[in-house]
């Protein structure tokens, strides 16, 4: 690195060993107004600072984003309130105030930490979070907000996300009275241990056993083979004292199937693993660097009978087994987790869209007067000197970039409404289960399974495309893309592999359709109002003439919410009816139909997402301003028509592809142009703080280039013992550089 006197491109600062670094106040990337010196290593406290006297070539990022925000056609605050609600926004403000004003929560150097450092710092922040919430009297809802905003799932994350919900959902009243106060106060730290080295999605294939011993009223937990090792449980490796363990219940030599048990795995005195338990961390992963995913083997470990979670099923003292009212009651926790995953898909996608959209408004590349025709900054920009080049076009003004950004934004909003609907469905289900009514459980379980797959697949693909839309800078860790995408990717696997989950959804649909067929044969079809939202469309598929129907769209004006939704409903109904017929005629087997099963689940869930969006639009028309309603209608149509054109063949013959595809494409282009002025406002409405985003590219103030340089100034290769000459020079570079040049033979 050059640092000669007067070199404006690499100014440096020397600081004393006692110097305290200035706090970083936004996004972990500094204030943007000045780049703070960073304290270097103990050997020599020198740091690389901002190139003095230099600012980015104009226009400035803040100017570009201000221009974008001024173009919005709707009130951003109104949409923010719609997305989050007043109470949630106020709670977020309270948590953010704590995070931004306590140096212990700074994320300035998070991208430069090793995995061990990430784990240790997350453990420290998690404890501080617990202490603050306890002091302020804040409950689990506020703790969740801490987790979301810190954006660093750490050692305690599974304690709150899986351990406690399982205790709440599957313990009887006596067990809750014992375990929940300990878990609430963090006197015990828990995890959820189901997956094994040899089995993941196939829960019935788990090998760990829990054999009941009537003489001592104990269960003996045992791992009969290496592949029985519990594997992947978050918080298990180095943190948890207790684990919810899923094991095969053995009574009098008979395998009763998988049940859940709470097992103490570490001493509460010195944290050492208890006798008979082999435990540790499984190693570094693609993401989740601060979580200690672990492994565990049991060697005939005894636990009291009362440690079996007994809200639904139980083993009496004499070894007799009390069956649950339904084998699916344990699905309640699973439905909650999957509903949460669906809801979080929208937020993660929106986060990526926020970074990419803001950066695309700041970043300028090439000069294209046609693309920049509506850019007042471009058309009025005057270079700072005669030798400076003229203005360049904002990347967001290129039609291809607009399509990438706005279609992803529409997906985030579509998934948001479905996430809200799924959480409502789960809450209603809990009320039903508490009253002993399990009738809604199969459908909610099937829907949450399919939606978990669809939404996480969609979010993962969209986030990666949005990263790519940021060009080379999107590859930097400080963009935040690599870390949070890597952390999100496991969503497609945990809580059920996405491809396998589709079988649960389609199996339910085939069964529901079969029941409607029987009713039709007996001339006893129920009224549509008697059916649930996610099965109502199947009623049409049982009626004569269904397969001869065609889409009544002849112009773009015909592309309404109703006609578009009907196309999705007809497609899904046709797929279900065709597979049901093939299975009934035995021209297809369930195993052989896996590709069709996947396609049906996807089509069904796309319809569910669309219908939830349509229902939200109806509600909006009653409460929202006309300007906001108009924008949301455009987002609905963009989302739906983009999905149609991606998979247009699956809508045939109901949709005539040669006729309708050009109409759809023309409509998409028109909607993109209409939404273009609202691009930045639509992501601003999600209200992501700079602290949460922790992104050099997605800053609210648009000071992207200042943040990138500042982040480089914190890179360990540029500071401490590596400043001004990297420590690799003497042992490696110098011997080669100073070696005598041998003459050629």
């Amino acid at each position: 690195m050059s640092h000669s006197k007067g070199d404006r491109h690499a100014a440096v600062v020397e600081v004393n060993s006692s110097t305290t670094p200035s706090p970083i106040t936004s996004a972990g990337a500094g204030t943007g107004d000045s780049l703070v010196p960073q304290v270097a290593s103990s050997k020599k406290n020198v740091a690389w600072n901002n190139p003095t006297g230099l600012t980015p070539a104009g226009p400035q990022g803040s100017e570009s984003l201000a221009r974008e925000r001024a173009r919005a056609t709707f009130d951003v605050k109104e949409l923010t309130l719609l997305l989050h609600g007043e109470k949630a926004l106020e709670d977020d403000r309270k948590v953010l105030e704590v995070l931004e004003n306590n140096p212990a929560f700074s994320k300035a150097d998070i991208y430069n930490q090793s995995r061990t450092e990430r784990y240790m710092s997350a453990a420290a922040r998690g404890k501080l979070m617990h202490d603050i919430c306890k002091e302020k009297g804040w409950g689990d809802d506020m703790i969740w907000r801490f987790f979301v905003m810190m954006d660093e799932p750490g050692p305690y994350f599974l304690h709150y996300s899986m351990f406690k919900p399982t205790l709440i959902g599957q313990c009887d009243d006596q067990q809750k009275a014992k375990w929940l106060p300990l878990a609430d106060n963090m006197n015990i730290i828990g995890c959820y241990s189901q997956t094994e080295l040899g089995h993941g999605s196939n829960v019935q294939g788990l090998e760990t056993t829990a054999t009941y011993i009537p003489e001592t009223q104990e269960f003996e937990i045992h791992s009969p083979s290496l592949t029985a090792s519990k594997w992947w449980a978050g918080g298990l490796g180095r943190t948890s004292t207790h684990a919810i363990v899923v094991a095969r219940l053995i009574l009098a030599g008979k395998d009763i199937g998988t049940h859940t048990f709470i097992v103490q795995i570490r001493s509460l005195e010195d944290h050492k693993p208890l006798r008979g338990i082999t435990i540790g961390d499984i190693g570094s992963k693609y993401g989740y660097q601060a979580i200690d995913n672990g492994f565990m083997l049991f060697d005939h470990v005894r636990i009291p009978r009362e440690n079996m979670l007994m809200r639904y099923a139980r083993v009496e003292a004499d070894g007799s087994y009390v069956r649950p009212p339904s084998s699916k009651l344990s699905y309640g926790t699973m439905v909650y987790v999957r509903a949460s995953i669906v809801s979080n898909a929208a937020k993660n996608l929106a986060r990526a869209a926020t970074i990419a959209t803001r950066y695309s408004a700041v970043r300028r590349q090439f000069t294209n007067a046609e693309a920049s025709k509506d850019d007042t900054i471009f058309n009025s920009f005057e270079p700072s000197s005669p030798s400076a080049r003229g203005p360049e076009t904002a990347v967001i003004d290129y039609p291809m970039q607009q399509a990438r950004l706005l279609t992803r934004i529409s997906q985030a909003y579509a998934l948001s409404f479905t996430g809200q609907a799924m959480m409502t469905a789960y809450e209603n289900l809990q009320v039903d289960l508490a009253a002993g009514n399990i009738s809604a459980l199969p459908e909610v379980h099937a829907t949450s399974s399919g939606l978990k797959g669809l939404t996480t697949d969609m979010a993962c693909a969209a986030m990666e495309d949005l990263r790519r839309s940021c060009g080379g800078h999107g590859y930097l860790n400080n963009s935040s893309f690599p870390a949070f995408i890597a952390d999100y990717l496991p969503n497609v696997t945990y809580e059920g592999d996405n491809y396998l989950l589709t079988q649960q959804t389609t199996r339910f649909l085939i069964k529901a359709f079969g029941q409607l067929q029987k009713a039709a044969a007996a001339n006893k079809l129920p009224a549509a109002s008697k059916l649930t939202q996610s099965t109502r469309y199947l009623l049409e598929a049982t009626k004569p003439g269904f397969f001869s129907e065609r889409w009544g769209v002849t112009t773009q004006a015909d592309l309404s919410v109703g006609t578009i939704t009907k196309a999705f409903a007809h497609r899904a109904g046709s797929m279900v009816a065709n597979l049901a017929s093939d299975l009934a005629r035995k021209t297809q087997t369930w195993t052989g139909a896996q590709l069709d099963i996947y396609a049906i689940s996807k089509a069904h869930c796309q319809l569910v997402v669309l219908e939830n969006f349509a229902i939200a639009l109806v509600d909006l028309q009653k409460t929202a301003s006309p300007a906001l309603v108009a924008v949301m209608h455009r987002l609905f149509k963009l989302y739906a028509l983009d999905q149609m054109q991606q998979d247009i063949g699956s809508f045939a013959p109901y949709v005539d592809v040669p006729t309708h595809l050009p109409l759809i494409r023309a409509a998409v282009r028109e909607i993109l142009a209409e939404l273009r002025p609202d691009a930045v406002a639509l992501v601003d409405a999600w209200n992501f703080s700079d602290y949460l985003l922790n992104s050099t590219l997605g800053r609210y103030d648009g000071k992207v280039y200042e943040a990138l340089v500042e982040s480089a100034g914190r890179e360990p290769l540029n500071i401490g013992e590596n400043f001004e000459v990297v420590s690799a020079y003497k042992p490696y570079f110098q011997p080669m550089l100073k070696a005598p040049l041998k003459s050629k033979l």
Side-chain angles (χ1 to χ4, degrees):
M1 177 190 310
S2 169
H3 62 282
S4 60
K5 184 177 181 180
D7 186 346
R8 300 171 62 220
H9 295 275
V12 298
V13 173
E14 291 203 24
V15 291
N16 297 324
S17 59
S18 60
T19 300
T20 302
S22 303
I24 304 300
T25 57
S26 72
T31 63
D33 295 321
S34 63
L35 303 184
V36 296
Q38 300 297 305
V39 173
S41 75
S42 59
K43 291 186 178 181
K44 189 179 182 183
N45 284 332
V46 283
W48 182 38
N49 200 25
N50 181 32
T52 59
L54 293 178
T55 60
Q60 300 301 304
S62 55
E63 296 173 330
S64 296
L65 285 182
R67 167 248 185 185
E68 291 291 336
R69 290 173 177 130
R71 298 180 66 189
T73 66
F74 66 96
D75 183 350
V76 175
K77 292 182 179 179
E78 181 186 6
L79 182 51
T80 298
L81 195 61
L82 170 70
L83 286 170
H84 303 288
E86 190 171 350
K87 183 181 184 304
L89 289 170
E90 176 60 20
D91 288 345
D92 283 347
R93 185 198 62 76
K94 292 177 181 177
V95 172
L96 187 60
E97 183 178 11
V98 172
L99 293 172
E100 288 187 326
N101 290 289
N102 191 322
F105 291 115
S106 172
K107 298 194 289 186
D109 285 316
I110 196 170
Y111 299 128
N112 295 324
Q113 291 179 330
S114 68
R115 185 185 172 223
T116 299
E117 290 170 334
R118 292 277 293 273
Y119 171 80
M120 296 299 290
S121 61
R125 286 197 298 270
K127 180 187 182 301
L128 180 58
M129 171 195 74
H130 170 75
D131 293 343
I132 290 172
C133 289
K134 189 175 180 180
E135 178 185 339
K136 292 179 176 291
W138 290 349
D140 283 3
D141 57 333
M142 295 296 277
I143 288 174
W144 269 114
R145 295 186 187 280
F146 266 98
F147 275 123
V148 169
M149 289 195 183
M150 286 193 298
D151 191 39
E152 177 76 309
Y156 317 118
F157 182 69
L158 273 296
H159 175 85
Y160 290 100
S161 64
M162 287 295 291
F163 183 72
K164 284 185 62 177
T166 303
L167 294 180
I168 294 168
Q170 297 190 35
C171 283
D172 63 23
D173 291 341
Q174 187 175 356
Q175 290 173 322
K176 287 180 183 178
K178 175 182 179 179
W179 295 111
L180 280 177
L182 297 173
D184 286 339
N185 203 45
M186 297 293 281
N187 295 130
I188 62 174
I189 303 172
C191 63
Y192 187 89
S193 192
Q194 174 175 296
T195 298
E196 294 178 356
L197 182 60
H199 287 92
S201 297
N202 181 17
V203 178
Q204 299 308 314
L206 298 179
E207 299 179 63
T208 303
T209 57
T211 303
Y212 185 62
I213 303 170
E215 293 78 12
T216 59
Q217 294 191 32
E218 293 176 308
F219 291 103
E220 186 175 84
I221 312 296
H222 183 61
S223 307
S225 71
L226 183 65
T227 48
S229 172
K230 290 298 180 182
W231 203 269
W232 277 115
L236 170 63
R238 309 302 299 169
T239 306
S240 295
T241 62
H242 290 68
I244 300 294
V245 175
V246 181
R248 289 163 44 215
L249 174 61
I250 308 297
L251 296 177
K254 183 179 179 182
D255 189 339
I256 309 299
T258 56
H259 290 69
T260 50
F261 304 83
I262 184 167
V263 182
Q264 183 174 346
I265 58 177
R266 287 186 172 94
S267 167
L268 294 177
E269 297 298 325
D270 58 14
H271 211 60
K272 290 181 179 178
L274 297 185
R275 183 177 179 182
I277 297 178
T278 303
I279 194 170
D281 187 281
I282 64 173
S284 185
K285 308 169 293 292
Y286 194 65
Y288 282 137
Q289 297 303 317
I291 290 185
D292 52 321
N293 296 85
F295 66 85
M296 179 165 55
L297 284 160
F298 300 98
D299 184 7
H300 300 93
V301 174
R302 298 285 186 94
I303 62 171
R305 179 180 68 89
E306 293 79 10
N307 281 28
M308 175 184 179
L309 303 191
M310 296 189 185
R311 179 176 181 181
Y312 300 119
R314 64 186 302 113
V315 173
E316 302 292 4
D318 62 1
S320 57
Y321 179 63
V322 180
R323 295 184 178 278
S326 169
S327 61
K328 294 181 173 60
L329 280 172
S330 61
Y331 288 2
T333 303
M334 195 180 301
V335 169
Y336 167 75
V337 174
R338 289 176 182 167
S340 299
I341 290 173
V342 172
S343 180
N344 287 333
K347 297 183 179 88
N348 280 275
L349 174 48
R351 173 180 175 174
T354 299
I355 296 170
T357 303
R358 288 177 179 170
Y359 176 63
S360 296
V362 172
R363 183 72 164 177
R364 291 177 178 268
Q365 295 287 282
F366 308 105
T367 299
N368 189 304
E370 180 185 354
S372 296
K373 64 182 184 299
D374 296 322
D375 184 352
T376 54
I377 292 179
F378 176 93
N379 292 308
S380 62
F381 179 73
E382 295 182 3
S384 57
S385 67
S387 61
R389 290 184 295 178
E392 292 183 88
T393 296
V395 173
I396 197 172
D397 281 330
Y398 291 104
M400 189 69 247
Q401 190 78 344
Q402 291 173 24
R404 295 172 78 177
L405 297 173
L406 289 166
T407 54
R408 300 311 192 184
I409 291 171
S410 73
Q411 289 173 8
Y413 279 92
L415 297 190
S416 176
F417 294 122
T418 287
Q420 294 172 20
M422 277 307 308
M423 294 309 296
T424 299
Y426 168 74
E427 291 164 2
N428 293 338
L429 176 65
Q430 288 300 98
V431 173
D432 289 345
L433 293 179
N437 179 8
I438 63 173
S439 60
L441 182 55
E443 181 175 357
V444 175
H445 176 251
T447 302
S448 67
S449 297
L451 283 173
K452 183 266 183 185
L454 176 74
T455 59
T456 56
D457 277 345
M458 184 183 297
C460 283
M463 287 190 288
E464 171 59 14
D465 186 54
L466 289 165
R467 182 195 68 77
R468 294 183 185 184
S469 76
C470 292
H473 291 331
Y475 193 66
L476 284 166
N477 273 337
N478 60 42
S479 74
S480 95
F481 277 119
F484 92 82
I485 289 178
D487 284 351
Y488 186 78
L489 288 178
N491 279 268
V492 304
T493 304
Y494 60 55
E495 294 308 310
D497 175 83
N498 282 1
Y499 286 92
L500 291 177
L501 283 178
T502 61
Q503 296 194 39
Q504 298 183 30
T505 306
T506 301
R507 184 177 285 109
F508 168 79
L509 294 172
I510 294 296
K511 182 179 180 180
F513 183 70
Q515 292 170 342
L516 288 174
Q517 281 185 309
K518 290 179 181 178
N523 200 27
K524 294 182 179 179
L525 276 175
S529 60
K530 298 293 183 181
L531 298 176
T532 59
Q533 175 194 334
S534 65
T535 59
R536 195 171 297 134
Y537 72 94
L538 294 176
L539 189 65
E540 296 299 316
T542 64
K543 297 178 180 179
F546 173 76
F547 283 97
S548 62
E549 292 180 4
R550 296 295 179 265
W551 203 26
V553 169
T554 57
T555 67
Q556 285 189 48
D558 295 329
L559 293 171
S560 65
V561 172
T563 58
I564 294 171
T565 304
K566 186 170 175 56
F568 279 79
H570 196 282
R571 176 183 64 157
S574 300
M575 288 180 169
V576 173
N578 284 330
L579 180 58
S581 176
D582 290 345
L583 292 172
R585 292 184 291 111
K586 300 189 184 303
T587 58
Q588 184 63 280
T589 65
W590 186 261
T591 299
Q594 286 187 0
L595 295 177
D596 297 325
I597 289 167
Y598 173 80
I600 288 172
S601 178
K602 180 179 178 181
H604 168 79
C605 291
Q606 284 181 335
L607 172 62
V608 171
V609 171
L610 208 63
E611 287 186 330
N612 285 326
F613 205 153
I615 292 170
L617 289 178
V618 173
D619 293 337
L620 275 175
Q621 287 177 318
K622 302 173 185 175
T623 59
S625 65
L628 182 56
V629 170
V631 169
M632 299 313 292
H633 268 87
R634 293 181 192 120
L635 286 173
F636 172 92
K637 291 178 71 173
L638 177 59
Y639 168 76
L641 297 178
D642 178 62
Q643 297 293 306
M644 284 191 77
Q645 68 178 0
Q646 286 184 47
D647 198 16
I648 191 67
S650 66
F651 289 87
Y654 180 73
V655 170
D656 182 63
V657 176
T659 301
H660 290 129
L661 183 56
L663 284 177
I664 292 171
R665 286 177 171 168
V668 167
R669 287 193 294 270
E670 185 176 300
I671 297 166
L672 288 172
E674 291 172 344
L675 283 172
R676 166 63 187 90
D678 292 314
V680 170
L682 284 168
V683 296
D684 280 353
W686 285 92
N687 202 44
F688 293 117
S689 66
D690 278 344
Y691 179 89
L692 169 62
L693 292 178
N694 199 27
S695 171
T696 54
L697 307 187
R699 296 167 57 108
Y700 186 86
D701 63 9
K703 295 184 177 181
V704 169
Y705 300 114
E706 297 94 325
L708 284 166
V709 173
E710 180 188 359
S711 181
R714 286 195 298 270
E715 166 56 46
L717 280 174
N718 293 330
I719 62 178
E721 65 181 5
N722 292 310
F723 177 91
E724 54 194 331
V725 176
V726 70
S727 57
Y729 170 71
K730 285 188 177 180
Y732 308 120
F733 305 163
Q734 187 182 53
M736 292 187 291
L737 295 170
K738 301 296 185 182
L741 187 63
K742 293 183 179 180
S743 60
K744 294 182 180 180
L745 295 178

